[in-house]
């Protein structure tokens, strides 16, 4: 198996937490992993991406070739579209629909949503609203992870375990909130795939 | 895959490898993509227990020199910075190959092809070649760990520093790493030759001859190095040479990672001449894949120029600039690349910007207004978060060249007659290399206004310790700026009018003025508050 995932968003939106949770789940499942991320100047409110590769065989490149990504997980609607050249024909675009608007010429949201709907396999989810339902809008990235988990070749229990590991130090309340966010995200994908 | 493996960034793998390899001290100045090496050692419990020196230095040159001093005392030292940091450290770095080492010395320079976070994409391997020392260039995180671990031995065996060259992708990508048993630190031990580190011309000449003689030994090390591998292939119409992570991009393109052509994978330099010659003789033509400048390509064209075609960055088979990726390599091999859908036109650029609530924003609002009567084109900037003031909505600065250049460029422009000329520099950058420029300006009483935008940290790289914190006013006084023209202000909306007035007064002054807007970085402030809250709860 292999899961090549592009994680997309804006600097500071927490895509690296998604990468870390999947990474832990992959390591706990005895899989190979390579994950490349962005630091420095680009992080300051600019667009950021992380390439996350998981496989049961050794992985060569830290970067995913164009047209080969199995999934784009985007915590912001416009950013998901930015990486479409990477998405395979059979790949999934899993994206939040709540915009992060820090630029003067942010496009009309309906134009963005129609482009998202034009992608054959897509999940468009209001992760912020669902995270609020789970207890905190801060968990919207974990809602996205839950929504994406349906298309990962990693058992859901391993991802739950990853969440427990990742948030364990912050106390049980935080763990439970994030587990709830994860499940709600997953349920959304099950209903809307 | 072994579960005991650590999941580490390339930078972190280097740090852990050095700790396990007997490191006694690490010296560094933060710079993307090298910053996480020092940060990892600072956060490491093991490093704390071993009492490894792990404080940031004022700049790359002081870091390099301290590392040479630690090596002089017999202990193993590592020094880390980004590629342009090696320019700052270059004087000491080049001479360290002439002094040689006592304790093992590894210099890590992190290059940034494609300029993800830099002003150029220079290739540090040229410095290694210039300095005539071995270079290690890992192709994956495990090699990064192993090279840091064994690099000290190589350095001690050859009596030279070893340069470790990584690129952004290697530094900032994470993978599983298997650790080795920790090796104890070296004992304190003075050099056996008491004059080894004295580079008086008569001694330097002898040392230099030794360095020249040891080139053969370095080449033999490369030829037998496990980091350099000849990988057989049946299709000899083409032979491929890769360096560092270019190998990964090559094999990504083939099922089961099996390239049909013979491949020489180089991760240790000098280039292993024996293997290169072997490949050249057995194949019809060569393709060179390397990250950065065409260093290997030029060298091989030089010493093997006997007719065969050599493809690479120089003949346009690969782009002359930017980092490599699997697709660029596929195109160079004539393989088909299947891209997904194009980026829809609705997608707009999203450049980096100053944080909401950042004090630099207020500084630029104040400065822009104060400068209205003089017009634009007078502000020389430095390198840091405030460089983002070059972008809309501020469009407030007119230069970004290197660390420390703002004050000296303003002085040069003032010398040319552009008065007033303004320099904007950060607190960390000021102690990095702004202080000496300020002294030049004071000596000549140059009509410049220097704004030291003090956020009490090294912001752009994520909030590291700044050597300037709490010292800027005293430093400026010590350098000789008149105390009446050292103005400390607080960059807040409510102080806008007052601050504009102060800047205008200093712009009108015919001499050196320093204005110090002081407000803590909003990021470090938030982190500090969070940590304090946690402490009171516990």
């Amino acid at each position: 198996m292999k899961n090549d995932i592009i994680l997309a968003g804006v600097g500071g939106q927490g895509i690296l937490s998604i990468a870390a949770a999947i990474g832990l789940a992959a390591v706990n499942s005895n899989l190979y992993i390579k994950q490349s991320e962005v630091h420095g100047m680009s992080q300051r409110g600019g667009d950021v991406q992380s390439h996350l590769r998981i496989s049961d065989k050794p992985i060569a490149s830290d970067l995913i070739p164009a047209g080969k990504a199995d999934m784009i997980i985007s915590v912001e609607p416009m950013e998901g579209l930015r990486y479409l050249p990477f998405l395979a024909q059979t790949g999934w675009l899993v994206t939040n629909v709540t915009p992060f608007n820090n630029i003067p010429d942010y496009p009309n949201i309906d134009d963005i949503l129609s482009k998202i709907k034009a992608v054959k396999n897509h999940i468009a989810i209001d992760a912020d609203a669902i995270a609020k339902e789970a207890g905190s809008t801060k968990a919207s990235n974990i809602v996205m992870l839950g929504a994406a988990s349906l298309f990962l070749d990693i058992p859901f229990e391993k991802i739950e375990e990853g969440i427990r590991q990742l948030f364990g130090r912050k106390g049980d309340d935080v763990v439970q909130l994030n587990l709830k966010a994860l499940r709600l995200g997953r349920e959304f994908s099950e209903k809307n795939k | 895959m072994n579960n005991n493996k650590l999941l580490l960034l390339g930078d972190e793998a280097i740090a852990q490898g050095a700790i396990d390899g007997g490191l006694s001290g690490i010296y560094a100045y933060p710079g993307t993509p090298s910053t996480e090496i020092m940060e990892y050692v600072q956060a490491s419990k093991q490093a704390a227990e071993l009492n490894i020196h792990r404080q940031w230095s004022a700049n790359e040159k002081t870091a390099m020199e301290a590392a040479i001093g630690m090596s002089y005392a017999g202990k193993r030292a590592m020094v880390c910075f980004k590629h342009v940091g090696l320019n700052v450290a270059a004087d000491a770095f080049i001479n360290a190959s002439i002094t040689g080492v006592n304790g093992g010395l590894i210099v890590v320079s992190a290059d940034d092809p494609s300029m993800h976070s830099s002003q150029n994409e220079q290739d540090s391997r040229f410095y290694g070649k210039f300095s005539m020392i071995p270079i290690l260039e890992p192709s994956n995180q495990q090699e990064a760990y192993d090279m840091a671990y064994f690099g000290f031995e190589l350095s001690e065996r050859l009596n030279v520093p070893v340069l470790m060259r990584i690129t952004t992708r290697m530094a900032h990508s994470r993978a599983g790493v298997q650790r080795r048993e920790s090796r104890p630190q070296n004992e304190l031990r003075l050099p056996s030759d008491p004059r080894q580190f004295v580079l008086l011309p008569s001694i330097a000449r002898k040392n230099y001859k030794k360095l020249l003689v040891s080139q053969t030994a370095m080449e033999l090390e490369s030829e037998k190095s496990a980091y350099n591998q000849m990988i057989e292939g049946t299709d000899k119409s083409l032979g491929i040479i890769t360096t560092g992570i270019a190998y990964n991009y090559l094999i990504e393109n083939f099922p089961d990672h099996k390239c049909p052509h013979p491949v020489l994978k180089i991760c240790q330099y000098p280039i292993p001449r024996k293997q290169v010659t072997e490949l050249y003789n057995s194949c019809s033509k060569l393709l060179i894949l390397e990250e950065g400048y065409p260093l290997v390509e030029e060298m091989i064209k030089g010493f093997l120029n006997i007719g065969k075609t050599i493809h690479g960055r120089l003949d346009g088979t690969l782009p002359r600039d930017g980092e490599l990726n699997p697709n660029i390599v596929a195109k160079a091999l004539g393989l088909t690349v299947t891209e997904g859908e194009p980026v829809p036109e609705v997608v707009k650029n999203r450049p980096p910007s100053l944080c909401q609530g950042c004090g630099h924003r207020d500084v630029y609002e104040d400065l822009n207004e104060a400068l209205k009567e003089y017009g634009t084109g007078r502000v020389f900037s430095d390198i840091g978060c405030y460089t983002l003031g070059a972008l809309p909505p501020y469009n407030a600065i007119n230069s970004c060249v290197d660390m420390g250049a703002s004050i000296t460029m303003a002085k040069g422009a003032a010398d040319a007659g552009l008065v007033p000329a303004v320099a904007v520099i950060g607190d960390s950058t000021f102690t990095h290399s702004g202080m000496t420029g300020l002294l030049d300006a004071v000596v000549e009483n140059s009509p410049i206004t220097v704004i030291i935008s003090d956020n009490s940290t090294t912001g752009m790289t994520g909030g590291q310790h700044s050597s300037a914190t709490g010292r800027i006013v005293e430093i400026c006084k010590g350098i000789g700026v008149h105390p009446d023209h050292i103005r400390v202000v607080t960059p807040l909306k409510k102080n806008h009018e007052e601050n504009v007035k102060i800047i205008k007064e200093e712009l009108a002054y015919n001499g050196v003025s320093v204005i110090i807007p002081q407000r803590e970085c909003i990021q470090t402030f938030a982190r500090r508050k969070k940590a304090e809250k946690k402490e009171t709860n516990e």
Side-chain angles (χ1 to χ4, degrees), chain B residues 130-385:
Chain B
F130 190 45
S131 200
M132 291 183 277
I133 59 172
I135 307 166
L136 299 172
E137 187 186 7
S139 70
N140 58 48
Q141 291 73 3
Q142 184 67 52
E143 276 183 358
Y145 174 91
D146 292 341
M147 285 173 169
Y149 189 98
F150 291 115
F152 292 120
E153 261 174 62
L154 183 67
S155 166
E156 285 167 8
R157 190 160 66 236
L158 293 167
N159 184 33
V160 284
V162 167
L163 176 68
M164 198 160 157
R165 186 255 187 162
I166 54 172
T167 54
T168 302
R169 204 55 62 185
M170 184 70 239
H172 287 166
S173 173
R174 210 178 284 280
V177 172
Q178 188 70 53
R179 276 180 70 183
R180 295 169 188 277
E181 205 168 311
S182 292
R183 179 201 178 279
Q185 295 181 34
N186 288 356
E187 295 295 324
L188 195 67
R189 169 174 51 94
L190 292 178
S192 53
D193 169 8
R195 294 197 171 267
Q196 182 189 339
F197 287 81
V198 186
L199 295 188
L200 281 166
S202 62
I203 302 167
R205 278 183 213 116
K206 280 183 207 149
N207 284 6
Y208 183 50
K209 281 193 197 300
K210 272 191 213 161
L211 177 67
L212 291 172
V213 167
S214 65
Q215 295 302 300
T216 314
M218 289 179 204
E219 205 163 294
L220 285 174
E221 287 279 355
S222 284
E223 284 173 3
K224 60 174 206 225
S225 169
Y227 299 127
N228 293 333
Q229 284 176 300
M230 188 71 104
I231 300 144
E232 289 307 316
T234 46
D235 184 351
K236 301 198 170 170
S237 62
L238 181 72
I240 301 170
I241 295 178
T242 68
T243 69
I245 60 174
Y247 176 74
N248 309 340
Y249 298 140
L250 171 72
I251 61 167
E252 177 70 31
N253 285 292
F254 300 102
D256 295 327
H257 300 162
K258 291 218 163 43
C259 176
H261 305 285
V263 180
L264 173 59
K265 175 179 184 268
I266 298 179
C267 290
Q268 180 172 338
Y269 308 70
I271 303 174
R273 192 181 288 245
K274 187 172 142 239
Q275 285 93 332
V276 171
T277 310
E278 207 178 293
L279 186 75
Y280 184 85
N281 288 337
S282 65
C283 297
S284 311
K285 55 184 179 182
L286 294 186
L287 170 67
I288 318 291
L289 304 173
E290 55 192 321
E291 190 94 300
Y293 290 2
L295 173 124
V296 171
E297 193 180 340
E298 281 182 347
M299 286 174 75
I300 287 174
K301 275 189 168 162
F303 73 66
L304 287 178
N305 192 10
I306 46 173
K308 284 186 191 171
T309 308
I310 293 170
H311 293 303
R313 287 188 184 264
L314 289 170
D315 73 343
T317 304
L318 295 145
R320 184 62 181 76
D321 64 333
E323 80 173 314
L324 296 176
N325 63 42
N327 298 110
I328 289 173
V329 173
K331 284 175 193 160
L333 290 162
L335 302 173
T336 321
V337 173
T338 327
E339 287 202 4
E341 297 298 316
V343 182
E345 266 176 40
V346 66
V347 175
K348 295 286 186 294
N349 284 338
R350 197 192 298 263
S353 56
L354 290 166
C355 300
Q356 295 297 330
C358 167
H360 296 317
R361 284 176 176 252
D362 296 284
V363 172
Y364 284 131
E365 268 161 26
D366 301 343
L367 179 63
N368 278 350
E369 185 163 335
L371 275 169
K372 255 185 197 158
E373 58 188 280
Y374 299 100
T376 56
R378 295 175 175 274
V379 185
F380 301 90
S381 175
D382 229 288
I383 293 178
C385 282

Side-chain angles (χ1 to χ4, degrees), chain A residues 10 27 31 34-37 39 41 44 46-47 53 58 60-62 66-67 76 79 82 84-85 100 102 107, chain B residues 1 3 36 116-117 141 169 172-174 248-249 252 257 326-327 338 340-341 346 348 350 352-353 459-460:
Chain A
V10 180
V27 168
L31 295 168
K34 278 201 177 182
Q35 183 232 327
S36 144
E37 55 195 52
H39 297 226
M41 179 179 261
R44 309 253 163 255
D47 53 271
R53 313 192 74 186
S61 165
D62 300 81
E76 201 278 348
E79 292 308 323
R82 197 184 297 281
L84 286 184
F100 187 91
N102 66 341
Chain B
M1 199 168 117
N3 252 343
E36 293 75 19
H116 297 281
S117 207
Q141 291 73 3
R169 204 55 62 185
H172 287 166
S173 173
R174 210 178 284 280
N248 309 340
Y249 298 140
E252 177 70 31
H257 300 162
N327 298 110
T338 327
E341 297 298 316
V346 66
K348 295 286 186 294
R350 197 192 298 263
S353 56
M460 180 61 89

Side-chain angles (χ1 to χ4, degrees), chain A residues 58-91:
Chain A
I59 300 160
S61 165
D62 300 81
L63 292 172
I64 300 167
K68 297 281 174 69
D70 303 295
M71 203 186 325
I72 296 171
I73 305 175
S74 182
V75 295
E76 201 278 348
M78 183 176 79
E79 292 308 323
L81 298 172
R82 197 184 297 281
Y83 305 101
L84 286 184
F86 281 96
L87 193 63
Q89 294 274 316
T90 53

